Amino acid sequence: GTAFKAPTFNDLYWPGAGNPDLKPENSINREFALHYETEKHHASLTYYLNKVSNLVEWAPNSSGLWFPANVAQARLSGWTLAYQGNVADFRINASLDLQDPENTSQQKILRYRAREIAKFGISRDFGSFTVGGEILASGKRYNDTANTQELQAYEVVNLHASYRVARDWSIFAHANNVFDREYVLVSNYATPGANVFVGVRFSPQL
């Protein structure tokens, strides 16, 4: 397939940081996949190869101010292994991405893109209760186009629970980053530590 993406209004004209000379992105995308499906299981293995011209990427300059610019040529290739299904009484959702996000113009890794990304989630119902959790993991990334500012790999554990009080109503809670791991998604920007959210959800069953 092919794709076209024009720069956003903010990319072009953000006060003090826009770049009106940005070119639109163009890409050619190839994907091959194998799927296995039964009533309770769905597994897939996908290979992809995307070549992008003029990829729009925001980056800080020497003064720390952020500006968008075009990456002349980028190549994103890799494998995705995914599974979703039921094992005994548990629902499982897992994926593993092994990718090569390359700035081919400079022969560097694209900013903020890890070579390895993994997710594993599991949940189970106990009558009106649902409990579960997930592990999110990412390999190291780079904060700059020259790949000199490394952002460390990280793993985060999240937990969740809900209780159906009526057909359309439920109470839920999310505990995120339960082990209070310190990690960085973007250099000099803080990420939340351990935190809990509680709420009420209304989902009409039509």
Side-chain angles (χ1 to χ4, degrees), residues 14-179:
W14 185 264
N19 182 355
D21 296 324
L22 286 175
K23 300 176 181 178
E25 298 178 8
N26 289 277
S27 63
I28 299 176
N29 314 305
R30 302 171 180 86
E31 184 176 296
F32 305 91
L34 293 173
H35 290 263
Y36 171 80
E37 288 191 53
T38 66
E39 182 180 354
K40 293 185 177 181
H41 306 282
H42 179 200
S44 64
L45 177 64
T46 304
Y47 172 76
Y48 57 89
L49 172 60
N50 302 332
K51 294 184 178 180
V52 187
S53 300
N54 299 316
L55 176 72
V56 176
E57 187 176 72
W58 283 74
N61 62 13
S62 57
S63 301
L65 300 177
W66 288 68
F67 291 90
N70 287 117
V71 176
Q73 297 292 330
R75 182 180 186 272
L76 300 96
S77 62
W79 295 86
T80 299
L81 177 64
Y83 171 79
Q84 183 175 359
N86 298 322
V87 177
D89 295 326
F90 295 92
R91 290 184 296 273
I92 296 177
N93 187 355
S95 64
L96 172 65
D97 283 280
L98 303 175
Q99 59 181 347
D100 185 18
E102 182 183 6
N103 179 339
T104 53
S105 300
Q106 301 182 13
Q107 296 185 334
K108 300 292 184 179
I109 298 175
L110 290 169
R111 299 172 63 248
Y112 302 138
R113 298 178 189 258
R115 290 183 181 271
E116 309 89 11
I117 302 172
K119 174 183 177 181
F120 178 82
I122 186 170
S123 63
R124 182 177 178 178
D125 295 331
F126 296 91
S128 296
F129 283 97
T130 299
V131 295
E134 65 177 2
I135 301 174
L136 306 177
S138 172
K140 68 179 182 181
R141 294 142 295 123
Y142 292 98
N143 190 66
D144 62 329
T145 54
N147 293 175
T148 60
Q149 303 171 16
E150 182 176 308
L151 302 177
Q152 294 296 318
Y154 66 89
E155 306 85 31
V156 177
V157 177
N158 304 321
L159 301 176
H160 61 85
S162 64
Y163 176 69
R164 293 182 297 278
V165 296
R167 190 186 70 165
D168 300 335
W169 294 88
S170 62
I171 301 171
F172 67 90
H174 293 275
N176 302 316
N177 192 8
V178 294
F179 295 112

